[in-house]
């Protein structure tokens, strides 16, 4: 069975938990930028959290469903329309055979996620179904969706949503911060002590803005020019998503999931993993500020988030069981 | 002295082990030895072991390396890695052997449409184009690291007369298989990519193919030699699906 792409949207790609363990071959992780949103969308479809879903950027696709199934949309607020009827996000949505689903423009934030019951059945590349546009890896040769693409979904479909059951949805508030000035917590980077004193102050006291030339590789930030006190020549070293590096321009770059596995610019800091979904939801022009954070605090917050997410996934699983036709 | 290194935490789930600074073959060899030992040990929860010139990236599951005590997962993994590498070093010394790196032969068609910068490089280096080729094939290289793009090898061992600054304006498209030099290094573009290095020639080999069981023809630590071939041989090897 397939789902036909009528309109692809601005940049729509397959994303799962990403490609692990291939950094030594120069292959990066990719994967969903807003990982909790992916996991919740999957949970709402009764899928494992790491199943492949669509990551939608700024403007959503229009899809034609040949067969009956159900879907869920999470992440940045976006209009969801099934056969000319508006539908809620963060909820399991029944899709009749032949339905046309139109997702509009993202209202605030940047990235939404559409999961389908059973996940997308595209062939994994190097162990993942994630599209890495920058490295040209993944389903459809690593490109974004185009009109006319047929997206494969699993054949067997025993469970159906009970359309007479009362509707319910997940409270999105803990999982989407909403518009406004974001505060991202930053762990100290290897070279942060070598920032000029004034630059160190500016880093944590001034607004930065997201430059239009930003994508899943990284967000270019504009703001006060940051300068190094002393810094020798650097050679390429390992990089990971969330890294805040400072090129000679004095304007930092925050790495996203498609970042290179190595790079030669000095490291100011590392955005706490729990704040990566906030980074994912910043769009060009949005403002952000950094606040300092320790590795211990970042780890504690990550453990707390993982617990909350696991609890939510369990709750969804139970509710879903009560919403299925027997 | 593989076990002599320091730790630089990167993220909740990542850190660098630092063996030195700069681009130095001896330091890089220690990074590769450590990478091999850590890979072979299959430490639980370790996801990535990725060598660069002077550092080794470890990515790991922080929950596997957490404890109730005050010690951070980075410290615990660092101590485990240190213990392991001290043992591995002693074992190597005791056996009196070291691992022989894999040797890989790369056929290259130099100059012309295959290497549009060969003449310019010769002029800049003040030697004949044939001499550039002779010096490029005359050296043995080691794969310091893979990066920039999937399967792109950074090779150490370039003849010092060929150390040139990168092109002032990078090309937006460099053909797949292009063999190039930049600074003190040579490299091979595994696929069509943008690039600022000087193009000396092209290999018909496919260095990266995600659908192969071994997606990369080269691995960090491999030894590499280039072999000059003509356009006929290039076409033959390319047809072969090499």
């Amino acid at each position: 069975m397939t789902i036909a792409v009528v309109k692809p949207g601005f940049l729509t790609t397959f994303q799962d938990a990403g490609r692990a363990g291939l950094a030594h071959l120069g292959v990066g992780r990719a994967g969903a930028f807003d990982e909790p949103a992916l996991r919740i969308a999957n949970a709402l479809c009764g899928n494992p959290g790491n199943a492949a879903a669509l990551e939608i950027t700024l403007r959503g696709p229009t899809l034609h469903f040949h067969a009956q199934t159900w879907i869920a949309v999470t992440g940045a607020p976006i209009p969801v329309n099934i056969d000319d009827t508006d539908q809620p996000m963060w909820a399991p949505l029944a899709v009749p055979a032949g339905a046309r689903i139109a997702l509009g423009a993202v209202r605030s934030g940047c990235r939404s996620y559409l999961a389908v019951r059973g996940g997308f059945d595209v062939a994994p590349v190097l162990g993942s179904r994630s599209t890495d546009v920058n490295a040209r890896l993944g389903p459809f040769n690593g490109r974004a969706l185009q009109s006319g693409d047929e997206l494969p979904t699993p054949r067997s479909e025993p469970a159906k949503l009970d359309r007479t059951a009362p509707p319910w949805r997940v409270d999105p508030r803990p999982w989407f911060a909403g518009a406004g000035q974001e505060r991202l917590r930053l762990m100290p980077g290897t070279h942060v002590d070598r920032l000029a004193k004034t630059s160190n102050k500016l880093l944590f006291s001034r607004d930065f803005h997201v430059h239009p030339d930003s994508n899943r590789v990284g967000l270019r930030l504009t703001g006060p020019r940051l300068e190094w006190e002393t810094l020798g020549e650097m050679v390429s070293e390992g990089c990971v998503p969330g890294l805040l590096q400072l090129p000679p321009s004095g304007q930092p770059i925050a790495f996203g999931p498609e970042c290179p596995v190595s790079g030669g610019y000095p490291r100011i800091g590392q955005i706490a993993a729990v704040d990566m979904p906030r980074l994912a939801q910043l769009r060009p022009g949005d403002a952000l500020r950094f606040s300092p954070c320790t590795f211990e605090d970042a780890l504690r917050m990550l453990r707390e988030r993982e617990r909350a997410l696991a609890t939510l996934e369990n709750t969804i699983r139970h509710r879903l069981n009560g919403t299925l036709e027997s | 002295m593989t076990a002599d290194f320091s730790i630089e935490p990167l993220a909740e789930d990542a850190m660098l082990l630092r063996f030195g600074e700069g681009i130095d073959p001896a330091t890089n060899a220690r990074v590769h030895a450590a990478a091999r030992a850590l890979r072979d040990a299959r430490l639980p929860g370790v996801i990535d072991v990725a060598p660069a010139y002077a550092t080794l990236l470890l990515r790991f599951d922080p929950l596997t390396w957490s404890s109730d005590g005050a010690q951070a997962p980075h410290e615990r993994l660092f101590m485990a890695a240190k213990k392991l590498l001290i043992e591995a070093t002693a074992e190597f010394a005791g056996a009196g052997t070291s691992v022989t790196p894999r040797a890989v032969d790369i056929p290259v068609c130099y100059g012309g449409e295959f290497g549009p910068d060969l003449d310019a490089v010769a002029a800049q280096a003040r030697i004949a184009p044939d001499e550039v080729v002779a010096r490029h094939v005359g050296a043995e290289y080691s794969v310091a690291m893979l990066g920039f793009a999937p399967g792109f090898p950074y090779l150490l061992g370039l003849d010092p007369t060929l150390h040139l600054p990168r092109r002032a304006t990078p090309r937006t498209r460099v053909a797949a298989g292009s063999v190039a030099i930049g600074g003190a290094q040579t490299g091979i573009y595994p696929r069509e990519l943008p690039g600022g290095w000087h193009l000396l020639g092209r290999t018909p080999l496919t260095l990266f193919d995600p659908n192969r069981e071994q997606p990369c023809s080269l691995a960090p630590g491999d030894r590499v030699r280039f072999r000059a071939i003509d356009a006929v041989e290039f076409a033959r090897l390319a047809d072969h699906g090499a």
Side-chain angles (χ1 to χ4, degrees):
Chain A
M1 287 191 291
T2 61
I3 297 168
V5 177
V6 181
K7 281 193 242 168
F10 176 68
L11 177 81
T12 306
T13 58
F14 293 104
Q15 298 299 339
D16 59 13
R19 261 170 214 98
L22 297 171
H24 63 293
L25 301 181
V27 175
R29 286 187 221 177
F33 208 153
D34 185 342
E35 198 198 330
L38 168 80
R39 282 171 59 180
I40 296 167
N42 273 324
L44 287 165
C45 292
N47 300 340
N50 60 358
L54 296 182
E55 183 177 282
I56 292 154
T57 320
L58 293 172
R59 174 168 285 281
T62 300
L63 306 169
H64 179 82
F65 283 65
H66 300 297
Q68 161 181 314
T69 183
W70 89 74
I71 63 164
V73 181
T74 63
I78 187 171
V80 180
N81 185 287
I82 302 182
D83 285 336
D84 298 323
T85 308
D86 289 334
Q87 298 290 343
M89 292 179 64
W90 306 90
L93 302 174
V95 177
R100 188 186 173 93
I101 297 188
L103 301 182
V106 171
R107 291 196 186 97
S108 69
C110 190
R111 295 178 169 89
S112 311
Y113 294 83
L114 183 151
V116 61
R117 169 68 181 165
F120 288 95
D121 198 15
V122 286
V125 176
L126 297 176
S128 163
R129 295 179 171 85
S130 286
T131 308
D132 189 328
V133 174
N134 185 48
R136 280 175 284 152
L137 278 179
F140 295 91
N141 291 316
R143 66 160 169 80
L145 296 189
Q146 294 175 357
S147 300
D149 284 344
E150 294 280 342
L151 317 180
T153 53
R155 196 164 291 273
S156 60
E157 190 38 75
K160 283 178 191 166
L161 272 188
D162 180 359
R163 302 179 84 180
T164 61
W168 56 277
R169 66 194 289 252
V170 169
D171 178 3
R173 280 171 301 180
W175 309 104
F176 182 79
Q181 184 194 274
E182 278 296 358
R183 201 168 269 275
L184 301 180
R185 283 157 290 196
L186 197 67
M187 294 172 270
T190 310
H191 310 103
V192 71
D193 292 340
R194 288 184 241 170
L195 271 179
K197 259 209 182 79
T198 47
S199 292
N200 205 313
K201 260 198 200 119
L202 293 170
L203 174 64
F204 293 116
S205 62
R206 293 290 181 84
D207 278 357
F208 289 85
H209 288 88
V210 178
H211 189 273
D213 188 14
S214 296
N215 52 33
R216 282 173 44 87
V217 175
L219 277 74
R220 286 177 189 277
L221 306 180
T222 57
R225 190 187 153 86
L226 304 179
E227 280 164 358
W228 298 106
E229 192 75 65
T230 53
L231 198 70
E233 183 80 353
M234 270 191 64
V235 297
S236 260
E237 297 180 348
C239 291
V240 291
L243 171 68
L244 190 71
Q245 61 171 16
L246 187 63
S249 66
Q251 301 288 283
I253 296 173
F255 271 161
E258 283 182 23
C259 75
V261 297
S262 58
Y265 292 132
R267 299 183 288 272
I268 306 179
Q270 175 75 25
I271 295 165
V274 292
D275 286 344
M276 283 302 278
R278 292 166 184 261
L279 184 72
Q281 296 299 352
L282 291 170
R283 61 165 75 183
D286 279 352
L288 66 141
R289 266 191 198 204
F290 292 109
S291 60
C293 153
T294 63
F295 276 85
E296 290 74 22
D297 284 345
L299 263 165
R300 182 182 45 74
M301 293 187 293
L302 181 60
R303 276 194 214 105
E304 283 166 8
R305 188 198 75 182
E306 287 305 299
R307 265 199 295 273
L309 201 46
T311 304
L312 177 61
E313 285 171 321
N314 254 326
T315 309
I316 292 172
R317 202 166 300 133
H318 283 115
R319 291 210 73 161
L320 215 45
N321 283 336
T323 323
L324 295 180
E325 281 179 7
S326 44
Chain B
M1 285 302 290
T2 304
D4 183 19
F5 57 86
S6 60
I7 173 181
E8 281 174 24
L10 281 187
E12 292 92 335
D13 65 346
M15 64 187 190
L16 294 183
L17 305 182
R18 176 173 297 286
F19 294 81
E21 302 282 341
I23 299 181
D24 168 57
T27 303
N28 190 238
R30 288 169 57 217
V31 172
H32 291 306
R36 215 162 24 237
L38 286 170
R39 272 188 182 282
D40 291 350
R42 295 175 184 279
L43 290 174
V46 172
I47 298 158
D48 268 308
V49 180
Y53 293 111
T55 52
L56 185 60
L57 168 72
L58 295 184
R59 203 186 135 216
F60 53 91
D61 172 19
L63 299 182
T64 306
W65 290 90
S66 287
S67 69
D68 298 331
Q71 209 178 22
H74 302 75
E75 287 294 330
R76 297 188 69 202
L77 178 54
F78 173 65
M79 296 312 287
K82 189 127 190 155
K83 182 165 173 287
L84 203 128
L85 293 180
I86 288 170
E87 286 166 7
T89 308
E91 208 173 293
F92 281 138
T97 56
S98 59
V99 180
T100 312
R102 199 164 60 128
V104 185
D105 175 272
I106 309 264
V108 181
C109 186
Y110 286 93
E113 58 169 306
F114 296 97
D117 297 336
L118 179 63
D119 291 347
V121 165
Q124 253 184 288
R126 296 165 195 271
I127 52 176
D130 284 354
E131 185 60 22
V132 173
V133 175
R135 288 181 190 229
H136 196 254
V137 298
E140 191 189 46
Y141 303 90
S142 68
V143 180
M145 60 185 290
L146 300 184
F148 169 54
F152 184 100
Y154 289 90
L155 304 174
L156 293 181
L158 184 66
D159 187 302
T161 43
L162 300 179
H163 293 191
L164 301 176
R166 283 148 212 206
R167 287 166 56 87
T169 314
R171 288 184 171 87
T172 52
R173 290 153 79 104
V174 170
S178 290
V179 175
I181 57 172
Q185 298 171 87
T186 187
I188 309 164
Y189 290 81
R191 299 194 284 172
E192 187 182 286
L193 290 160
W197 289 15
H198 306 277
L199 311 182
L200 298 186
R202 221 155 84 201
T203 178
L205 302 188
T206 302
L207 276 123
F208 177 77
D209 178 353
N211 300 315
R212 281 196 312 229
E213 190 169 342
Q214 295 292 333
C216 289
S217 309
L218 295 174
D222 283 351
R223 299 277 151 179
V224 171
R225 271 187 177 279
F226 294 106
R227 173 167 63 86
I229 57 169
D230 59 18
V232 176
E233 177 78 351
F234 184 96
R236 194 184 65 79
L237 288 173
D239 281 349
H240 237 250

